[in-house]
Amino acid sequence: MLEFDGLHKSFGANRVLDGVSFAVAPGSMFGFCGSNGAGKTTTMRIAMGLVRADAGEVRWQGRPLDQALRRRIGYMPEERGLYPKMRVGEQLAYFARLHGLDGAAATRAAEHWADRLGLGERRRDQVEKLSLGNQQRVQLAAALVSRPEVLILDEPFSGLDPVGVDALAEALLEQVRGGVPVVFSSHQLDLVERLCDAVGILARGAMVATGPVAELRRRESGRLLRVVVPDAPPGWAAALPGVRVVSERAGDTLLELAPGADDQAVLAAALRTGRVGHFAWREPSLVELFREAVAEPAGVAA
Amino acid sequence: MTASGPGSPGSTALVRLVAAREVSSRIRDKNFIVSSAVILLLLLGMMVFQVAVGGVEAGRIAVVADDGRLGPALEAQGEAVGVEVQVVDTMDEAEARAAVQAGEVDAALLDGTGPAPELLLVDRDPALEAVVGGAVSGLAVSDRLLEAGVDLQSIPEVAVTPLGDGEDDGQQVVVAVIGIVVLYGLLFLFAQFVAQGVVEEKSSRVVELLLATMRPWQLLAGKILGLGLLGLGQIVVIGVVGVAGALAFDLVDVPGELIGTVATVIAWFVLGYAFYACVFAVAASLVSRQEDLGSVLTPASMLLVVGFFVAFQAASDPSGTLAAVTSFVPGLSPLVMPVRQAAGEAAGWEVALAVVLMLVAIGLAVRLGGRVYSGALLRTSGKTRLREALRAERA
């Protein structure tokens, strides 16, 4: 297991992480979501030893990460970085060697990954001569070239075209099938939903939701109710006890029920307006879960 | 992982990897190649210039119908005025003319002991003309005097007594000054390379990826070591070419002293480089763009420039107070001390003290610099203040 355990971090008076904990099982993909500035990058930097946590630690297979263990992690920083004037192949081999591969193995691995990511032709080109999309591929290759045991990727999909996204997704899924735990952060929630076994949503320095997407959905379902009542006057459900109107458009109404609110009372009220076209619990999308999770808690004064 | 999986490289291996990358990427860099070539060409040019003005050039003079006295007289006269003369005997005027025109000889002397001596040459050459004129008239005068019955044995000869301490330090100081120019140039060049490398890693953000695999000090050490080896290689090549050239062109009197001075300069390069590379690297780590590099490097560059000018002053007055004091100041000593040493003004303990002070300064620069470097490296936006960097911590 890759465990992030109770990470706390403040920069001066600014508290960035306030007890971030989650675990990623080998061979699973973990999507790390959160609004900008929520602390995703700081969490990953702590794992890579680039920022020191005030408290808490990150463990791999039960051992706190140290410099030696970190060399077994493939890392892709949020701010992409490569030597602009170094050739693609040499650069990949260099990073492979920094991670502990010997010269021959590093050269082989560099060739392999350049070919795999469609950079075979560009191996002898300087990185700065490549298009941004191709530079991004080199960046990914740099994370994969050392045959890492763990992958930590900060926004790996940003800036990729759909074909690039698919290629990257396929490469990551292959790593997962090989037993590698993969953590990546992303704002593309549809992608996270499609690829990840589990997600974690970070808000205000703490994990507000973690778990498999399906489980999160189930946890949240039983709260959103979609009712289609074509003949109802606007605001027909506003007065029902424990019910909040999320959206209402020409009778297509989305209602959020507080715990304990009576769905049968809602049905009765709907029937009173006339014909009921649709009445069902709705599984929230990850986007809705995310919005829900990161919303400032109402009424709680800071 | 499998048996062929990645191991964990130690500090030495990491530092060596970084150093090897620095060397291999710099050695292919156009600026580096051009600057190396320029320095070597300058050095060679300087020696050729010395030869040209030094007049040690050999002049070949064809002599027609020598009676056996002209040859030695020409050679003796040439030696007296510092022009090496080679005498070539020729049978007749036509042969001599052809030899001059073909460039086989520089000049041809016709009828040297006769009533109408004539010198043939392609272009006028005052030095050669003076040698020939002196030799011919000398022979003629002594002939006339002999005819008149004057005793040539009684002409007094001038005895020469040098009043110096017997050692010619002047030449050593000249060598030291040339050495200082090279030393200064290379210190600046390579410290600048280190600074540019640091900023390149920051501005391209590759530093974050690097620091995920190694500690800042390992990165710093590898960078300084790699470029230092390259710099050392370059100054050794320059030294060897310089010494070989000076010996080949016969520019120095005492080769042993020349080699000693060159070795001293090279040793001081190592110390100076260690200091300036560290200071430049640390200063560079405070900024994230090449454009900002100039401003943070100014204080350290100033020190280097001051050292350069003081060293020149020291060359003209190696026993002066300024030279004596500055030859102990870390940062200035690598430039000033070699001059004093070459001038024979520095005692052994003085050199030792300067070296120790310099080593202490290097130690401080490495320790303090390492902290600033670690603290500032990941602040890839804008400029970091020195104090902030010192306070910043890292896992």
Side-chain angles (χ1 to χ4, degrees):
Chain A
M1 287 292 255
L2 176 67
E3 297 161 279
F4 292 71
D5 189 4
L7 300 181
H8 284 79
K9 178 70 194 175
S10 299
F11 292 112
N14 182 16
R15 180 176 292 182
V16 181
L17 299 183
D18 194 9
V20 170
S21 301
F22 61 96
V24 187
S28 74
M29 186 124 48
F30 186 91
F32 199 26
C33 314
S35 17
N36 296 322
K40 300 187 297 281
T41 295
T42 304
T43 304
M44 293 186 171
R45 282 185 162 185
I46 287 175
M48 294 317 295
L50 300 165
V51 172
R52 181 160 42 197
D54 296 335
E57 62 181 13
V58 183
R59 288 184 297 270
W60 167 234
Q61 293 174 335
R63 285 164 58 197
L65 290 183
D66 56 19
Q67 205 71 19
L69 278 176
R70 285 190 184 109
R71 287 204 194 94
R72 304 197 217 151
I73 302 178
Y75 175 54
M76 187 159 165
E78 182 194 26
E79 304 210 55
R80 311 287 183 240
L82 295 164
Y83 284 108
K85 296 204 186 301
M86 213 169 163
R87 291 180 178 151
V88 172
E90 287 170 12
Q91 181 133 228
L92 292 178
Y94 179 60
F95 282 116
R97 297 202 64 185
L98 288 183
H99 281 273
L101 265 62
D102 64 44
T107 310
R108 270 199 312 278
E111 261 175 47
H112 171 77
W113 279 106
D115 283 341
R116 266 297 308 277
L117 296 175
L119 297 162
E121 304 279 296
R122 316 300 305 268
R123 229 175 25 231
R124 296 187 56 77
D125 289 352
Q126 290 179 342
V127 167
E128 64 182 358
K129 304 236 165 78
L130 267 53
S131 68
L132 280 179
N134 275 339
Q135 290 190 17
Q136 177 100 331
R137 290 176 196 215
V138 180
Q139 194 84 53
L140 176 71
L144 292 171
V145 75
S146 57
R147 273 181 290 162
E149 292 175 32
V150 175
L151 278 174
I152 295 181
L153 312 168
D154 204 350
E155 298 282 353
F157 291 101
S158 76
L160 285 182
D161 64 16
V163 179
V165 168
D166 288 345
L168 173 54
E170 187 39 53
L172 294 187
L173 285 170
E174 189 191 283
Q175 294 292 310
V176 166
R177 284 194 290 273
V180 173
V182 177
V183 184
F184 73 89
S185 65
S186 181
H187 288 297
Q188 284 146 287
L189 296 172
D190 52 328
L191 208 57
V192 174
E193 196 163 6
R194 177 154 67 89
L195 291 175
C196 291
D197 304 292
V199 296
I201 299 173
L202 189 65
R204 296 171 302 280
M207 298 300 277
V208 289
T210 28
V213 181
E215 190 182 294
L216 285 184
R217 277 204 181 122
R218 263 199 309 281
R219 211 184 294 161
E220 293 295 311
S221 75
R223 298 191 54 198
L224 281 179
L225 195 57
R226 183 171 168 230
V227 186
V228 179
V229 276
D231 308 326
W236 64 274
L240 294 168
V243 172
R244 187 173 73 84
V245 179
V246 177
S247 68
E248 184 176 0
R249 205 179 306 121
D252 189 339
T253 325
L254 192 61
L255 302 173
E256 187 191 330
L257 271 65
D262 183 4
D263 53 350
Q264 295 307 305
V266 176
L267 180 59
L271 284 168
R272 279 199 295 277
T273 67
R275 202 170 67 82
V276 175
H278 180 97
F279 182 89
W281 291 110
R282 221 194 68 164
E283 285 224 319
S285 70
L286 189 57
V287 176
E288 281 161 327
L289 285 176
F290 179 79
R291 283 215 188 95
E292 180 72 20
V294 303
E296 293 283 343
V300 179
Chain B
M1 289 300 289
T2 52
S4 62
S8 191
S11 286
T12 328
L14 283 171
V15 169
R16 197 182 309 145
L17 275 173
V18 174
R21 198 204 77 85
E22 293 296 333
V23 172
S24 76
S25 63
R26 193 50 83 171
I27 219 159
R28 280 180 284 180
D29 180 38
K30 277 199 204 77
N31 290 332
F32 173 72
I33 298 169
V34 169
S35 70
S36 309
V38 165
I39 292 174
L40 276 180
L41 282 177
L42 275 179
L43 192 70
L44 285 172
M46 215 149 60
M47 286 190 292
V48 168
F49 179 72
Q50 281 282 328
V51 171
V53 299
V56 267
E57 193 181 12
R60 287 164 64 83
I61 303 176
V63 178
V64 179
D66 186 7
D67 61 1
R69 291 184 303 150
L70 260 178
L74 283 168
E75 279 163 13
Q77 186 68 25
E79 200 174 319
V81 301
V83 177
E84 200 180 310
V85 173
Q86 261 184 5
V87 176
V88 184
D89 282 322
T90 25
M91 293 306 291
D92 56 27
E93 188 183 330
E95 194 188 333
R97 231 173 243 284
V100 171
Q101 259 148 9
E104 288 165 25
V105 293
D106 295 307
L109 177 60
L110 310 176
D111 196 18
T113 46
E118 189 184 0
L119 187 65
L120 300 174
L121 27 65
V122 180
D123 291 309
R124 296 206 59 163
D125 181 341
L128 219 52
E129 286 167 32
V131 169
V132 173
V136 168
S137 59
L139 269 182
V141 167
S142 66
D143 280 353
R144 300 278 156 80
L145 289 176
L146 275 175
E147 278 167 26
V150 178
D151 180 9
L152 287 176
Q153 300 297 319
S154 61
I155 294 176
E157 270 193 44
V158 179
V160 180
T161 312
L163 285 176
D165 53 9
E167 272 180 73
D168 183 12
D169 289 331
Q171 201 164 46
Q172 292 316 113
V173 173
V174 170
V175 171
V177 167
I178 295 174
I180 293 305
V181 173
V182 173
L183 183 72
Y184 170 78
L186 287 186
L187 277 182
F188 231 123
L189 192 68
F190 280 87
Q192 193 89 21
F193 281 161
V194 171
Q196 282 168 0
V198 170
V199 177
E200 187 199 21
E201 280 167 2
K202 270 191 93 175
S203 65
S204 70
R205 322 279 162 147
V206 75
V207 68
E208 186 166 348
L209 217 47
L210 296 173
L211 291 188
T213 61
M214 68 180 96
R215 304 250 158 214
W217 73 262
Q218 292 166 331
L219 182 57
L220 184 62
K223 192 174 280 299
I224 290 181
L225 223 63
L227 289 171
L229 284 177
L230 211 54
L232 186 62
Q234 191 161 10
I235 200 169
V236 167
V237 167
I238 290 171
V240 167
V241 169
V243 168
L247 294 181
F249 291 130
D250 202 13
L251 288 179
V252 285
D253 301 332
V254 195
E257 284 180 5
L258 169 71
I259 293 167
T261 301
V262 169
T264 308
V265 168
I266 291 177
W268 277 108
F269 170 79
V270 173
L271 290 176
Y273 170 79
F275 178 76
Y276 281 105
C278 191
V279 172
F280 271 48
V282 168
S285 71
L286 295 175
V287 297
S288 335
R289 298 183 308 161
Q290 299 284 359
E291 300 92 289
D292 299 331
L293 197 52
S295 60
V296 285
L297 290 186
T298 306
S301 310
M302 285 306 291
L303 191 63
L304 197 48
V305 172
V306 166
F308 185 57
F309 283 110
V310 171
F312 259 95
Q313 201 278 333
S316 60
D317 183 16
S319 53
T321 319
L322 180 66
V325 172
T326 50
S327 66
F328 294 106
V329 178
L332 301 180
S333 53
L335 292 158
V336 183
M337 193 48 109
V339 176
R340 285 191 68 207
Q341 281 176 267
E345 294 291 338
W349 68 267
E350 290 183 300
V351 178
L353 180 61
V355 169
V356 167
L357 285 175
M358 192 64 194
L359 286 175
V360 169
I362 292 169
L364 275 177
V366 168
R367 285 201 76 136
L368 213 63
R371 270 180 64 194
V372 175
Y373 186 74
S374 324
L377 221 44
L378 280 174
R379 303 188 171 207
T380 45
S381 53
K383 229 176 117 172
T384 312
R385 286 165 180 283
L386 198 59
R387 202 173 307 155
E388 282 172 30
L390 273 174
R391 241 182 303 161
E393 34 64 75
R394 193 184 160 268

